[in-house]
Amino acid sequence: MFTQTKFIDYGRSQRIFIAAICISLASQANFQTYTHGFIIALAPLILPIFLYFNADLNPFYLIVSISIASPFFRGILLFISHHNSNSQIFTFIVTDIAYYICYGALYYLLYWRRSHWNNSSFLLTIIICDYLANLLEISLLTNFSHYNYFLFQFIFIVALVRSICSCVFAFIYHYFNLMMRDDTHEQRYYYFIWIAASVKSEVYFMKKNITEIENVMRNAYLLNQNLEMTNINHQSKDMALAIARDVHEIKKDYLNVVRGLGDYFNDSNNSTMKFSDILRVVASYIRINIKEHHYNIVTNVQSNVEIIVPNHYYLVSIISNIMFNSIDALQDINNGIICLTAEDVGEDIIINISDNGSGIDASILNLIFQPGYTTKFNMNTGDVYRGIGLSHVRIIVEEQFKGDISVTSTINKGTNFQITLNKQRLSQEELL
C-alpha cells in the first residue's frame, strides 16, 4: 500500500526516536501482577496513540525501535536495583521484546497493510494486539503453563481498558484538530468572499468608466478632425491624434484588466447564497477584523429574512463597507456596539446598520454620498482610504437592487444607515 523509500529520513527517524523514548519512560509506570516479571505498564496505553498519528510509518520500524529501547531501559533499571538475578533480568528483557514484536506483527497484518482504515477496525485491532501480546508474554514467563479462566479474563479486561482509553484520546484529539482546521478553512472562505466582493464592486465601476474613457478618446479624435480644417500648426493636430491613440491603448489595457478580473471572479457558475449566509460571512469577517485590532466593539446581527441572493458579492460589499464605517466611528469609543437588523416587509428588504459612535455632523451629512467625498485618509502618508466609498454603495443599491439608502446621525450618540432593497431584484441576476 505504501511505497517504501529510504528509511533514514530526518522527519521519520525523529518521530521513531520520540516514540521509543516516550514509551520507554512510560513503561516504568507499572505494577507487577499474576506472576513474577509480568507487569501492567502505561506504555501499551501510549503505543496506539503513536501508531494512530503515524499511519504513514511502517509499524515494523517503529515497533523494532520500541522493542529495543523499552526492554533495554527496563533491564538497566532492574540490574541497578539488584532485586533480580541476571538470568531473570534476561528473561524479562526477552519477554518484553516478544510482547512488542508480537504487537507490531499483529498490527501490521490485521490493520496497517489493509487498503481501508477506520476507527472501529483500529480499536478492534488494538484490543487484539494488546490481548495476544500479553498472552504471549505471560506464557513465556510461565513456560506455557498455569493457564486458567481468570488469566484469560484478566488479560482481556486489561487489553480492553487500555485500548479504549488510548483510542478515545486519539480519536478526540484527531477530531478536535479537524474542527480547528474546518474553522480555519471557514475563516479563509469568509475572507475570500469579502475579497471577491471588493473586486466585483471595483470591476462594476471600472466597466461603467469605460464609457468615460471612450468619450475622452472620441473627443480627442474630433479635436484632431477640427484642427485639420484650420490653419493651426501640425504639431497641435498631431498631439490631438496622439492623445486619441494613447487613450485607445489605455482603453484596451483597461478592458483586458476588467475582463481578466471579471473572468477570475465570475460567479455565474457558482451557487447562490442565502441571505442569512451573507450576513454570517460579513459578521464573521467584521468580528475577525475587530479582534485583530483589539477594538472594544461588539456586533449584534438579527434577521428574519429567508431569500436566495444570486448577486451576493454586491450585497457583501454594501453591508461590509457600511459596517467598516461604523468601526471607524467606534475606534475611540468604550463599549462600542454595531447592530445590524434585516426585516422582510413585503416587496422590500430593509436593513438597518447602527452604531453608538461619534456620529456625523449635520453639515456634512448630505455630502457623504457624493462622489469623491471621504474623511478617511492616512495622516502620515496622505493616502486616501481604498474602499469603494458610500457614493458607490448608493449606486450599487440603486442600480443592482432598485433600492435606496439613507442615513440619520446624532453627534456623540451614533449613526444609523437604512438600506431598502427590492426583494424581486435581490433574487435576479446581475444588471449592467
Side-chain angles (χ1 to χ4, degrees):
M1 183 177 59
F2 287 93
T3 301
Q4 294 301 323
T5 55
K6 186 172 64 173
F7 168 61
I8 302 300
D9 177 80
Y10 175 74
R12 186 173 301 179
S13 59
Q14 183 185 50
R15 284 184 285 166
I16 292 174
F17 176 77
I18 292 173
I21 295 300
C22 289
I23 292 175
S24 297
L25 294 175
S27 66
Q28 305 316 305
N30 62 75
F31 62 92
Q32 186 168 286
T33 183
Y34 191 75
T35 187
H36 186 55
F38 181 72
I39 58 174
I40 303 299
L42 182 63
L45 188 68
I46 299 176
L47 178 56
I49 298 173
F50 278 97
L51 291 172
Y52 185 81
F53 288 107
N54 292 277
D56 57 322
L57 293 180
N58 190 320
F60 172 78
Y61 301 121
L62 187 62
I63 293 298
V64 167
S65 300
I66 294 170
S67 65
I68 294 173
S70 182
F72 179 76
F73 190 60
R74 183 188 177 192
I76 291 176
L77 295 180
L78 289 173
F79 180 78
I80 294 174
S81 65
H82 300 291
H83 290 162
N84 299 278
S85 65
N86 291 341
S87 62
Q88 286 178 320
I89 294 174
F90 178 77
T91 300
F92 298 157
I93 290 175
V94 170
T95 54
D96 252 11
I97 294 174
Y99 172 87
Y100 288 112
I101 295 297
C102 178
Y103 195 109
L106 290 170
Y107 178 79
Y108 176 83
L109 294 172
L110 297 177
Y111 184 80
W112 192 82
R113 71 171 187 171
R114 295 174 58 187
S115 58
H116 300 289
W117 298 341
N118 58 62
N119 290 341
S120 298
S121 60
F122 180 81
L123 173 60
L124 180 61
T125 301
I126 294 303
I127 295 173
I128 294 172
C129 291
D130 197 347
Y131 175 71
L132 294 181
N134 265 330
L135 187 60
L136 174 62
E137 181 182 4
I138 202 169
S139 296
L140 291 172
L141 289 171
T142 60
N143 293 319
F144 295 90
S145 62
H146 301 95
Y147 294 118
N148 57 61
Y149 179 76
F150 171 77
L151 172 63
F152 295 109
Q153 187 182 49
F154 174 74
I155 293 176
F156 179 77
I157 292 174
V158 169
L160 182 65
V161 171
R162 285 197 300 203
S163 299
I164 290 176
C165 290
S166 57
C167 287
V168 165
F169 176 83
F171 298 161
I172 289 176
Y173 184 78
H174 175 68
Y175 285 118
F176 176 76
N177 278 340
L178 289 179
M179 290 174 60
M180 293 294 291
R181 194 178 307 163
D182 288 343
D183 185 60
T184 302
H185 289 171
E186 186 177 31
Q187 291 182 9
R188 290 176 180 174
Y189 170 72
Y190 289 168
Y191 181 71
F192 171 79
I193 291 292
W194 185 80
I195 290 295
S198 300
V199 173
K200 288 281 289 184
S201 299
E202 294 287 356
V203 169
Y204 180 80
F205 290 102
M206 289 174 72
K207 289 179 180 178
K208 293 174 68 68
N209 289 339
I210 290 175
T211 302
E212 302 299 327
I213 295 175
E214 289 177 341
N215 289 337
V216 173
M217 180 181 66
R218 183 176 63 253
N219 290 337
Y221 180 76
L222 291 175
L223 177 62
N224 172 264
Q225 296 295 313
N226 293 333
L227 291 176
E228 288 287 347
M229 296 182 291
T230 65
N231 295 324
I232 296 178
N233 59 64
H234 290 286
Q235 184 177 2
S236 298
K237 300 175 186 177
D238 293 340
M239 182 178 297
L241 184 59
I243 291 173
R245 289 172 178 170
D246 290 343
V247 172
H248 178 68
E249 292 300 317
I250 292 172
K251 176 190 172 184
K252 288 198 301 183
D253 293 338
Y254 196 90
L255 283 172
N256 288 333
V257 172
V258 171
R259 191 176 298 112
L261 290 174
D263 291 343
Y264 188 78
F265 289 94
N266 181 23
D267 59 342
S268 59
N269 297 322
N270 293 341
S271 60
T272 56
M273 288 185 69
K274 293 181 180 179
F275 188 87
S276 57
D277 290 336
I278 294 172
L279 295 185
R280 188 172 68 253
V281 168
V282 174
S284 175
Y285 187 74
I286 292 294
R287 286 164 183 159
I288 291 172
N289 184 272
I290 291 171
K291 181 179 179 181
E292 288 177 348
H293 290 86
H294 306 289
Y295 295 143
N296 186 19
I297 302 172
V298 295
T299 59
N300 182 25
V301 177
Q302 297 180 358
S303 171
N304 66 349
V305 178
E306 293 295 336
I307 188 173
I308 302 297
V309 183
N311 299 330
H312 52 272
Y313 288 129
Y314 293 131
L315 192 55
V316 168
S317 184
I318 291 168
I319 297 174
S320 61
N321 271 275
I322 294 177
M323 292 190 75
F324 274 118
N325 273 279
S326 294
I327 291 176
D328 291 334
L330 293 168
Q331 290 184 15
D332 300 322
I333 303 295
N334 291 324
N335 301 317
I337 300 174
I338 301 175
C339 293
L340 186 154
T341 61
E343 187 178 2
D344 189 333
V345 290
E347 295 183 354
D348 296 323
I349 301 296
I350 296 181
I351 303 172
N352 281 285
I353 302 174
S354 59
D355 62 67
N356 60 339
S358 55
I360 304 173
D361 190 271
S363 61
I364 63 173
L365 198 60
N366 294 326
L367 302 176
I368 61 175
F369 293 111
Q370 298 300 316
Y373 180 83
T374 182
T375 60
K376 302 177 184 179
F377 60 91
N378 190 307
M379 296 293 292
N380 298 320
T381 65
D383 293 334
V384 177
Y385 170 69
R386 287 289 302 148
I388 65 171
L390 290 175
S391 62
H392 286 174
V393 167
R394 184 181 66 177
I395 291 173
I396 293 178
V397 168
E398 293 175 349
E399 294 185 356
Q400 283 296 318
F401 302 116
K402 289 186 178 180
D404 182 57
I405 182 171
S406 60
V407 59
T408 57
S409 185
T410 304
I411 293 296
N412 296 325
K413 288 189 177 181
T415 302
N416 180 78
F417 285 88
Q418 180 171 292
I419 309 162
T420 303
L421 306 173
N422 182 270
K423 191 192 300 183
Q424 184 179 2
R425 279 297 308 130
L426 277 172
S427 304
Q428 295 177 6
E429 299 294 334
E430 178 179 355
L431 293 176
L432 188 57

